[in-house]
Amino acid sequence: MNPRLLFWIPAMLRLAFILAGGAIVGAMFGAVYGAMLALAAVTILLFVQLSYLSKLGEWLEDPHSSRLPDGWGSWTGIFSRLYRLRRDDERNQAELTEWLARFRQAMHLLPDGVAIMDDVLFLEWCNPAAEQHLGLTLDKDKGMRITNLIRHPAFIDYIILGRYEQPLTLALRERKLICQIIPFENRRQILVTHDATETQRIEEMRRDFIANASHELRTPLTVIVGFLEIASSEPGLDAATRAAHLKLMTEQGRRMQRLIEDMLTLSRLESVDYPLRPERVDMAAMMSAIADEARALSAGKHTVTSDVSGPDVTGSAEELRSAFGNLASNAVRYTPAGGTIDLRWQQGPDGPQFVARDSGIGIEQIHIARLTERFYRVDKSRSRETQGTGLGLAIVKHVLLRHRGQLAICSEAGKGSTFTVSLPQSMALEKSRDGIIAA
Ligand code: ADP
């Protein structure tokens, strides 16, 4: 039924009932009594209405659905409708609060920065990533103009030109940021920031690597091509010169071969398609082979000692051999004749350790942090003279990353170096009494 009728029909009936009551009493006991009764009934009715009105007023001060008073007469319908409205409202509000909490949490976790500004670029809100990227503090900077907060000239130009369809790359607070403004709702703008420092670093590394690798390969190739040109332009070369040229070409060819092999090893170690295949590694046998190789490389110019007291391990024998072999070969190559090289496999405080100690040329502190970078050399000519590729320690680093190992370098220029590889204790294997290996 029409709600208006629902209200008026009972109200009119109630009034009609009072008037009829008054008329009956008036007919029976006189008009004065009838009028008094009708007046008393109307007063009571008015008082009841006023009391419900006051209850409604009180409830509106704190309109919670659970505290809504019960009604009488027309008030029953009004209160029940108010109850339904309030309950729906509360449900919507709860949903909104939950949604807002979820949105806030998502924005907190988002690695990209998001800042919302009004049409005249006054900051309204930003997430923690934006605070970090742009050096903002929401509580302090809210309501400030964004160009007063980010005073980078390129950013100000970006705002002035208003070409927001293109992102802007900004070097800000030692970060490379990709920023873009996205207008929305006609009166608001979102500033999105993405930290591209790591991506750019990797891109730079890739570019450097290609440049270095090309340079490293070009040098021996130039030598080989040079000798080949001499051989073809001067057919009458004497046998001794020809032999000397061939020897040099072979050396340069081998250098290229070593370089390519090391580059392939590195790319294999970095490849996700080349998972680690752990196997039991006989450390005594490996250490003996590494020491023999070091002695062969030294050709009797150094005293090479080796000691094995640590356990066998589980890991990639080929990769560990390559890492430890590189450290042993470096010890020989960077130690002048007459020096000592000590190779050890031992149990360290937190796991098994490989130690290569030499009494060689040592390394100045400023170089130590960069030694595992590809093609980083302290002394280029010495590295080349001793057949170095500049990739040995990068290979060591990647092998250790795959084995969760750590490399510690302790060195003093002119006094020698100690390279210590620590492997996790979980890699160590113990020999049980019946000779079966157990982890
Ligand atoms: P390289 O093939 O040039 O030896 P590595 O990556 O093995 O390349 O080593 C990087 C650089 O670290 C070397 O060029 C050398 O300058 C320095 N280095 C490595 N091992 C030693 C060592 N035992 N003593 C002194 N310098 C070392």
Side-chain angles (χ1 to χ4, degrees), residues 209 262 266 269-270 326 330 370-376 390-401 407:
F209 180 71
D262 276 0
L266 254 183
L269 288 172
E270 280 183 317
N326 263 311
N330 280 355
R370 299 195 58 190
L371 288 185
T372 55
E373 284 174 24
R374 294 144 196 232
F375 298 115
Y376 187 86
L391 295 174
L393 291 181
I395 291 176
V396 172
K397 178 177 121 179
H398 278 91
V399 169
L400 296 188
L401 272 176
L407 175 68

Side-chain angles (χ1 to χ4, degrees), residues 107-152:
M107 283 295 166
H108 261 76
L109 296 175
L110 205 68
D112 286 348
V114 178
I116 298 179
M117 299 162 300
D118 65 12
D119 53 339
V120 277
L121 298 169
F122 283 82
L123 180 69
E124 289 185 340
W125 177 86
C126 69
N127 71 345
E131 286 187 312
Q132 230 179 44
H133 291 171
L134 305 168
L136 306 176
T137 312
L138 182 60
D139 293 340
K140 194 164 61 74
D141 298 330
K142 198 173 168 175
M144 304 259 283
R145 206 176 140 84
I146 200 79
T147 42
N148 289 338
L149 298 169
I150 308 163
R151 290 172 169 273
H152 196 290

Side-chain angles (χ1 to χ4, degrees), residues 326-327 330-331 333-334 358 361-363 371 373 376-379 383 387-394 417 419:
N326 263 311
L327 294 176
N330 280 355
R333 289 167 41 235
Y334 296 103
D358 63 60
I361 58 170
I363 309 154
L371 288 185
E373 284 174 24
Y376 187 86
R377 290 143 160 151
V378 176
D379 179 351
S383 164
Q387 308 183 339
T389 60
L391 295 174
L393 291 181
S417 317
F419 285 71

Side-chain angles (χ1 to χ4, degrees), residues 87-121:
R87 201 194 45 201
D88 289 352
D89 209 33
E90 281 168 359
R91 202 177 296 149
N92 288 345
Q93 217 169 348
E95 270 172 23
L96 201 70
T97 314
E98 200 189 310
W99 191 87
L100 207 68
R102 241 183 285 148
F103 172 79
R104 283 239 166 88
Q105 202 183 12
M107 283 295 166
H108 261 76
L109 296 175
L110 205 68
D112 286 348
V114 178
I116 298 179
M117 299 162 300
D118 65 12
D119 53 339
V120 277
L121 298 169

Side-chain angles (χ1 to χ4, degrees), residues 36-49:
M36 277 173 65
L37 182 78
L39 191 68
V42 168
T43 311
I44 291 170
L45 202 61
L46 191 68
F47 182 77
V48 169
Q49 305 302 325

Side-chain angles (χ1 to χ4, degrees), residues 5 23 66 130 142 179 184 212 250 271 291 301 318 325 431:
L5 290 179
S66 62
K142 198 173 168 175
C179 307
F184 84 117
N212 279 323
T250 314
S271 161
K301 293 194 207 98
E318 186 197 337
K431 265 201 180 88

